[in-house]
Amino acid sequence: MNSLKTADASRIEQLRRELTHHNYRYYVLDSPEVSDAEYDRLMRELQELEARHPELATEDSPTRRVGGAPAEKFEKVVHRVSMLSLANVFDDEELSDFDERIRRQTGAASVSYVCEPKLDGLAVTLLYQRGRFVQGATRGDGAVGEDVTANLRTIRSLPMELFPEDGVAVPGSLEVRGEVFIRKEDFRRLNEKREQEGEPLFANPRNAAAGSLRQLDSRITASRPLSLFLYECVPGEGVPTFRSHTEKLEYLKSLGLPTNRYARVEGVEGVREQYRQAVEGRHALPFEVDGMVVKVDDEDLRLRLGQISKSPRWAVAYKFPPEEESTVVEDIQVYVGRTGALTPVAHLCPVKVGGVTVSRATLHNEDELRRKDVRRGDTVFIRRAGDVIPEIVKVVESKRPADAQPFVFPAECPVCHAAAVKDEEGAIIRCTGATCPAQLVEKVRHFASRPAMDVDGLGEKLAAQLVETGLVKGFADLYHLTKGRLIELERMGEKSADNLLANIQRSKQTTLPRFLFALGIRHVGEATAKTLAEAFPDVHQLFEANLEEISRVKDVGPTMAQVIHTFFHEPLNRQAIEDLLAAGVTPAAPQVVRTGTFAGKTVVLTGGMGAMSRDQAKEEIERRGGKVSGSVSRKTDLVVAGEEAGSKLKKAQELGIRILDEQAFLQLLQEDAR
Ligand code: IVH
């Protein structure tokens, strides 16, 4: 018994070390040594071991990166050394002034500078004690920030433990500072997912990063793709004194902390050249930058320069020229999405911004529209945020036409005229029309999309034609389309009609996760569809499931459970599903491969166990695909007999059923976990 526990404890230690190492290879060095599947396997093994030995769980285990229970509010953290901000310079003249002031004050003939990308995110400070990450906080007002430790733990590129190179000692206490941000590609995917799930979109990566880090529920933070770079550190116990900033950055790197690229240059000319290159290369970077930070390299000079008010004299942010243009709002239209969300969009007189022609800009929702007070005929500044979505920065009020009226958000759906109401979360106004054709077009397009039913050739245009002509009033109608009807549609030849019909036929053989995703249930993305399908392998089980059973599914929170429950209890939705099944759609349940000792077996537990309660044992068996029964019969495959087992053990012996003592049972559980 005890030896087993010790074995588990050392395996836990080993797994944590391995996972920490792989995290570092993957997230910091961007050079993984193992496949994702191998990584997942190690993570699962650790999760299972920790579940079995709650007393061995630690706050900084790699498993904690999925987030924990929500906090009531953030605790305040008083910064030991205040967190400064940077003064800005906007042009070459201001840069020269900065350099001149430094040379005048220090008497240096020429100064070495370090140039770093100015990340557009959120400043944080992290404390490592004896090499372990123990606390992290936001900048706040510079003197006092918020304790966001639990959220920071979910950031994969943030090492839970320092990982020093050979010959580098772990400092007793290290406080490092840097920026939490979201990469452009991650931002694009995050918004894409939110769109699919009917959630409001983030306006830009900065907002998404800040909003994600300041979540009281760290599980939400865990689901957001946050990244981190460190760029400063505060003097501390066991931390060397640095002669230069370069030395400091190299030290951080040698401890396994993620640092960004930087350039060390000579004098203001060197800075100018770097800036020129940075402006040119800014769009090629994988993250959003809004300027270049210029820092004096020499630490001695820094000390002599000191700070003024809340900014150091030894650094500035050299801002990039804004990629903004002005144009005129020709119209404002309200679009209806798949989930009925009404989104106002400004139609613009086309203009080039940062090399791309922009003719539309989303206004997100009614609140945003009202806050910016954009009107038809207004002259506005637009900017491309996150290099993806053009947004309206502000209205030039002096150029507003005298007769411009405030935009009135419609009280009804512009397409089906059903009432439009604010949803529970308060930001989105939705069309309530159950048969709204605009929603139907989006639903059909989503239904047919690649990750859903994967009907090649059925895009936005065709979906709109099918709905407008009345050929499709519900999903199932797709499966009753005929060639004769299809070729009557505009731009539909015989060949494309044949292809489309073949693709529709082919989509009938599908999987349950795809099918559930295709239904377009709000909040249910691909991942949730998969876990739902695993928990309810037949769609009819979802008709029967109560709220509690649904919320027990992995990663399904209370809001989501409510939406799913309502969806499957709505008669119209049930009918739509029955129609699809009747039309021949066959969603195959996911194959959960069960090969272990307990898979498909009936187990009886008898007598007392030392290591776990009867309920825990039952849970362990069920997780491995087994069933626990209360009485021994010929159908019983295994009997686990603990201390003082009585009549059940006797019966099992009579029937010749395999009997395990506690030790053997625990051994099997452990083997089966891998
Ligand atoms: S140094 C005293 N370096 O810009 C040092 N800041 O406007 C202050 N920032 O609050 C920070 N990238 O959030 C520094 N490479 C970088 C930075 C950077 C982005 C942010 C940071 C800071 C703000 C100051």
Side-chain angles (χ1 to χ4, degrees), residues 84-86 116-119 123 139 179 231 293 295 312 314:
L84 302 180
S85 74
L86 296 170
E116 298 170 0
K118 183 163 190 296
L119 296 159
R139 176 170 178 270
E179 198 88 351
Y231 44 64
V293 182
K295 299 175 176 175
W314 44 262

